[in-house]
Amino acid sequence: MNDTPDITTEVDRPESTDFIREIIKQDLAEGKFDRVHTRFPPEPNAYLHIGHAKALWIDYGIALEFGGKFNLRFDDTNPTREEQEFVDAIIEDVRWVGADWENRLFFGSDYFEQMYQWAIDLIKKGKAYVCDLTSEQVIEMRGAPTTIGENSPYRDRGIEENLDLFGRMRAGEFEDGARTLRAKIDMTSPNVYLRDPVMYRIRHAEHHRQGDKWCIYPMYDWAHGLEDSIEGITHSLCSLEYENHRPLYDWFLDELGIYHPRQIEFARLNLTYTVMSKRRFIELVDGGYVSGYDDPRLPTLAGLRRRGYTPEAIKDFCSRIGVAKVESVVDVAVLQDCVRGHLNKTSQRVMAVMDPLKVVIVNYPEGQVEEFDAINNPEDPDAGTRKVPFTRELYIERDDFREEPPPKYFRLAPGREVRLRSAYLIKCVDVVKDSNGEIIELHCTYDPETRGGDAPDGRKVKATLHWVAAETSLEAEVRLYDHLFAKPNPDEVEDGQSYFDNLNPDSLQIRTCRIEPGVTGAAPGTRYQFERQGYFCVDTDSTADKLVFNRTVTLRDTWAKIEKAMRKGGR
RNA sequence: UCCGGGGUCGUCCAAUGGCAGGACAACGGCCUUUGGCGCCGUUGAUCGGGGUUCGAAUCCCUGCCCCGGAACCA
């Protein structure tokens, strides 16, 4: 509270920047544009993933920073693969991540009439023609990157004939694939996208918004720049694979002489231990490797949401990874660090025992129940406290006791004293085993003087354990998630193998835990920290009778590291 | 082979001719009623070769390597 605000550190600190922001600043300085307007243009044919979130935060973040505007626009130019279901899902995801398009939700298909008129303009200029070649012929005559293409025999059709034919294409006189409208550019260009690209194809298909109003549909390259132009986009940001398309983007806009946004490309996101493509999501879902597109192991936004990730964490992640043009693979540990950071500050602590070992406090009165005040969040004093019941019979984590403790292990062991979080100091006086030698129960004594966890004589204990009362604790299902793939790069495979061979068999473990009773009735989506273990959130499968938790991420586990190092060193 | 991009710590991103810095990871320590959080520290990089310059990650030349590109997909 009495910290002196350090003004100097806030002044002159270079704000986060990247090559795109630099370009925009320069454009603004040169007067090339006098405002900033971006857009996020998903095709409604798949679920969004964390890679889309990166793009979204570049688009939206830039608009925000420059005091500009941001549009959400569905690029729905292909009727055969787009569905309303995806429109709804994408809107939900974009909203969840926190981008605000205000009242600017648009659909590329709403511009079809304008696009059609512009196509006519191009035909009139002699810059577009109706081509009767089949798709196979077009491909053949286009040539290869290393060779040049060949002109279509229909390339020099007269303007009147082109106009007539194009009108009849729209009128539905021809079958699917019978003809196309092509731009007349250069069949010898080293950039194959400039070799008379198709602008319109015939598809007698029902469009999710336009119904059967149209039977010709614009191709991406033709449509996208027009959409940007119509919306007054200043900077059209997209991923690297469109770099080769930019000359075509520019060509259409220049030939039409209409408002011309600037396209800038950046590298898309890759993450370790996962895959990031629509095709692979489909394969994983269809193959039953994951439960659906919202499986918490998938990097889809729906999956991350279900897993317990917060929009804040995702936004933080996007700003940490930056923007550049190098193909990159970001360590998923960065993402995990982001959620831990946010959840540490915000989530309520609770005690849950994953693998219960019974503890009997032999000097504690039978039938007595005490209630302790446990701190809800040490990072947030305003979070207050909660009551946790304590009884003679308790459960602790099986892993928190060792009959023969290894070096550096300072949890419970015979004769050792530890603290039960928020309760008492207890000492292990006896180990009870069954006929197989399996430990079934621990007998401990408690020190009544240590109520709350501190010893009046000032003696210290090294360990604090989480625990639950045997009887009052609840049973709950926990789903422990780990990386979907066993290798950082799932594509690193032996000959004859596929990325499926790298699936991590332990990516999901289902357990039954005992949890303190206060969580009764927690709604799906509620997030907790299970002390000493990790962050968990109530799954959508959870019911009043049966709580189900997803593990979002584990806590950092220094002891596990030490143990691992010792095991290695021991060999 | 042609066209378009790109090569900085293990990873991601800075340094815009002037001390190669930050984050994650790793390692060590301090603190701790979470082996959590926090704090401190250590390790660690300019693809190679030439050149320009007082000075090069940055500019020039050259070589090498990586990615993308031949859907009536986006």
Side-chain angles (χ1 to χ4, degrees), chain A residues 106-382:
Chain A
F106 299 125
F107 292 83
S109 60
D110 287 344
Y111 311 140
F112 280 175
E113 185 61 44
Q114 172 67 263
M115 291 176 189
Y116 179 81
Q117 294 305 327
W118 275 328
I120 288 175
D121 289 348
L122 240 38
I123 293 172
K124 286 179 178 166
K125 276 188 74 178
K127 298 289 186 177
Y129 62 97
V130 172
C131 182
D132 300 359
L133 256 24
T134 64
S135 59
E136 293 77 18
Q137 289 170 316
V138 168
I139 288 168
E140 204 185 311
M141 295 179 73
R142 183 155 37 220
T146 50
T147 64
I148 60 169
E150 218 182 309
N151 284 349
S152 163
Y154 305 98
R155 197 172 200 261
D156 294 316
R157 228 160 358 205
I159 289 173
E160 286 313 313
E161 187 185 359
N162 280 321
L163 253 15
D164 172 62
L165 252 17
F166 187 48
R168 289 163 61 194
M169 278 170 63
R170 176 181 185 170
E173 288 189 28
F174 312 118
E175 294 188 350
D176 286 4
R179 287 179 223 263
T180 55
L181 183 72
R182 291 227 257 165
K184 191 190 287 190
I185 308 181
D186 180 6
M187 292 306 291
T188 68
S189 172
N191 182 339
V192 293
Y193 294 106
L194 260 19
R195 321 242 261 228
D196 289 11
V198 172
M199 295 165 61
Y200 279 94
R201 74 285 215 185
I202 300 172
R203 284 261 188 295
H204 292 269
E206 177 99 359
H207 186 277
H208 76 114
R209 302 196 87 222
Q210 304 296 326
D212 56 5
K213 185 172 173 195
W214 294 88
C215 62
I216 55 171
Y217 290 92
M219 299 290 292
Y220 169 85
D221 286 307
W222 166 243
H224 203 85
L226 305 184
E227 294 165 9
D228 286 341
S229 182
I230 289 167
E231 294 179 14
I233 300 302
T234 56
H235 299 272
S236 182
L237 313 177
C238 59
S239 49
L240 247 30
E241 67 262 37
Y242 292 102
E243 216 156 13
N244 293 324
H245 297 242
R246 194 185 339 123
L248 182 51
Y249 181 100
D250 291 336
W251 189 89
F252 282 131
L253 263 12
D254 287 342
E255 289 298 333
L256 255 15
I258 59 177
Y259 170 75
H260 193 153
R262 203 229 264 225
Q263 175 177 303
I264 304 170
E265 312 83 12
F266 59 87
R268 57 195 313 166
L269 171 69
N270 295 289
L271 271 184
T272 55
Y273 296 102
T274 193
V275 291
M276 195 87 77
S277 80
K278 180 189 66 184
R279 194 197 95 229
R280 288 180 166 185
F281 294 160
I282 292 170
E283 289 171 358
L284 289 165
V285 171
D286 288 354
Y289 301 104
V290 296
S291 62
Y293 294 96
D294 65 346
D295 187 297
R297 290 168 292 183
L298 250 24
T300 53
L301 294 181
L304 290 166
R305 181 164 57 232
R306 190 169 175 187
R307 176 89 170 242
Y309 274 76
T310 60
E312 289 87 345
I314 286 169
K315 187 191 163 188
D316 182 23
F317 174 72
C318 292
S319 69
R320 282 204 222 178
I321 59 176
V323 188
K325 294 190 75 158
V326 236
E327 275 301 329
S328 62
V329 184
V330 176
D331 193 334
V332 75
V334 178
L335 217 209
Q336 295 179 329
D337 190 62
C338 292
V339 234
R340 286 197 189 102
H342 184 231
L343 260 19
N344 176 50
K345 292 270 182 284
T346 55
S347 57
Q348 177 177 329
R349 271 77 220 224
V350 115
M351 291 192 285
V353 176
M354 296 290 144
D355 187 8
L357 172 62
K358 184 176 268 188
V359 170
V360 181
I361 311 295
V362 292
N363 60 339
Y364 194 86
E366 242 164 291
Q368 179 172 314
V369 180
E370 270 181 282
E371 286 205 317
F372 287 99
D373 290 311
I375 292 167
N376 280 336
N377 186 351
E379 302 286 327
D380 176 14
D382 295 338

Side-chain angles (χ1 to χ4, degrees), chain A residues 386-400:
Chain A
R386 67 187 188 283
K387 300 287 186 191
V388 188
F390 183 93
T391 56
R392 179 181 159 93
E393 295 200 348
L394 311 165
Y395 291 116
I396 64 165
E397 209 69 60
R398 191 164 281 275
D399 192 42
D400 283 341

Side-chain angles (χ1 to χ4, degrees), chain A residues 510-527:
Chain A
I510 298 177
R511 302 266 182 81
T512 301
C513 77
R514 312 257 352 161
I515 187 166
E516 62 180 76
V519 300
T520 310
T526 310
R527 300 183 180 91

